[in-house]
Amino acid sequence: MSIGTGALGPSRTRLRLLALVLFLVAPVCAEYLTAYDPEVTGQAAALIGGLVIIGPLYGAPAVLIRELAARTGMHWTGILAMAGAFGVVQAGVVDQSLFAQHYPGYAWWGEVTARTLIPPFGVSGAFALNFLLGHVIWSISAPVALVEAFDRRPGRQPWLGRVGLVVLGVLWALASVLVWSDIRGAGSDQASAAQIAAALALAATLVAVAFTFGRRRLPAPTEGRVPRPAAVLGLVLVAAAGYQAIPSTWLGVALGAAIVLVAGLVVTRWSRSVSWGPRHAAAVAGAAVVARALVGFQSVASTDPQPSGGYAQNTVLLVTALALVFAAMRAGRPTTQDLGGE
């Protein structure tokens, strides 16, 4: 897989190709890896056709957030905060799944919601953790980290011009309106005006965090050693798989939050070392993506009746994910540690 830079730097075509890859990787990570929707699982034509909607819905904001970070000097704190804002808007305003106690096509939705329902807010604790972290990690951050590894230029630099950004913004808006209208027409629970206002306020707060804390100068790198990228991949994969296995109960919410907190603190500490580089970031993202791909097999096994072609879809996506992850880890700029230095 060769979408990196040439001897004279990347051409405009290569940079656009990076944006296109991210545009496609983000929706696949967000929706298809878990194989949760039996209506499209295993159906190649439906999966490809679905990208017409979920490409703009997830891919456009992933590219836009990455481009915003490149133009404003945001580091990963800013990207994560912007991804959180997107997740709140997507789950709280667009498809309103964050507030729904019944959802079309999912008979089990009400039962799962009731286990961790917070009545004053009309929100399930388990769904809130799953939806919001899912968007932060799998819809935006992991795809961005993986695809950025193929851009070997120093720092984070833009891939697209203004026209490309406008086109992506329009596509995102149109897809969001279409999904919002479709959910309303399908008879799903509708969020109240107060719930929507709260979601928008939280999203605005996260955007403010992105433009303040997300742009502050980072502390000077430390001399601390970090595991090699392959070891980082293995360690984070264990944590990500553990997170995917938590039950939809208050105990599961507590365990999930603890796993994410501990993993986040460890990765943050590693990332402050001079030995940390794009290959390590790709390893963290890759571990999250592979863990999510493995969930797809469980989803197909637990669906009754099992969707025809479901396991074939799981296998293709897992192999593709592994290929992308290892290509990204090889493409990332090496650090002194990767080159055998101390």
Side-chain angles (χ1 to χ4, degrees):
M1 190 171 187
S2 178
I3 54 176
T5 60
L8 299 178
S11 66
R12 182 173 297 180
T13 299
R14 290 187 180 225
L15 296 180
R16 289 174 177 171
L17 179 57
L18 287 172
L20 176 61
V21 172
L22 178 55
F23 183 86
L24 296 175
V25 168
V28 172
C29 290
E31 293 284 338
Y32 290 164
L33 287 185
T34 54
Y36 74 91
D37 188 351
E39 293 188 3
V40 299
T41 296
Q43 302 179 42
L47 292 169
I48 294 172
L51 289 173
V52 174
I53 301 299
I54 67 171
L57 194 65
Y58 296 106
V63 177
L64 288 171
I65 289 172
R66 190 267 165 200
E67 291 296 287
L68 178 66
R71 285 168 166 75
T72 62
M74 284 183 190
H75 43 72
W76 273 106
T77 300
I79 292 177
L80 291 169
M82 289 298 298
F86 161 74
V88 171
V89 171
Q90 175 63 29
V93 180
V94 177
D95 64 35
Q96 300 185 11
S97 55
L98 183 63
F99 301 113
Q101 297 184 35
H102 302 88
Y103 215 67
Y106 301 96
W108 46 262
W109 191 281
E111 178 185 350
V112 174
T113 299
R115 296 173 190 167
T116 57
L117 183 64
I118 308 173
F121 303 104
V123 173
S124 159
F127 278 168
L129 181 70
N130 183 33
F131 295 160
L132 300 184
L133 282 181
H135 286 310
V136 169
I137 297 172
W138 287 283
S139 298
I140 306 295
S141 302
V144 167
L146 282 175
V147 180
E148 277 193 332
F150 294 99
D151 186 352
R152 295 175 62 89
R153 298 175 297 172
R156 179 175 286 117
Q157 301 182 44
W159 292 340
L160 299 175
R162 293 181 179 178
V163 174
L165 299 181
V166 171
V167 170
L168 288 176
V170 171
L171 289 175
W172 181 21
L174 291 175
S176 297
V177 171
L178 182 60
V179 170
W180 175 81
S181 177
D182 183 64
I183 293 298
R184 290 178 65 87
S188 172
D189 294 339
Q190 302 300 306
S192 67
Q195 288 173 325
I196 292 176
L200 292 174
L202 177 56
T205 300
L206 289 169
V207 170
V209 169
F211 277 93
T212 52
F213 296 99
R215 298 173 65 194
R216 286 186 178 179
R217 180 174 298 180
L218 295 171
T222 69
E223 297 295 329
R225 294 185 60 81
V226 299
R228 291 186 179 276
V232 171
L233 175 68
L235 292 170
V236 177
L237 179 58
V238 171
Y243 174 81
Q244 296 288 348
I246 62 173
S248 299
T249 62
W250 279 118
L251 176 60
V253 172
L255 289 173
I259 290 171
V260 171
L261 177 61
V262 172
L265 290 173
V266 171
V267 170
T268 298
R269 182 175 180 179
W270 285 342
S271 69
R272 291 175 178 167
S273 170
V274 293
S275 298
W276 184 267
R279 292 181 176 179
H280 293 91
V284 172
V289 170
V290 171
R292 194 164 178 87
L294 292 174
V295 171
F297 289 91
Q298 190 277 329
S299 296
V300 171
S302 61
T303 301
D304 186 20
Q306 290 184 358
S308 175
Y311 288 125
Q313 172 186 319
N314 298 150
T315 302
V316 170
L317 290 180
L318 177 59
V319 171
T320 303
L322 288 169
L324 176 63
V325 170
F326 287 116
M329 290 174 63
R330 291 188 61 185
R333 298 188 307 277
T335 62
T336 54
Q337 183 191 62
D338 296 324
L339 297 173
E342 294 296 327

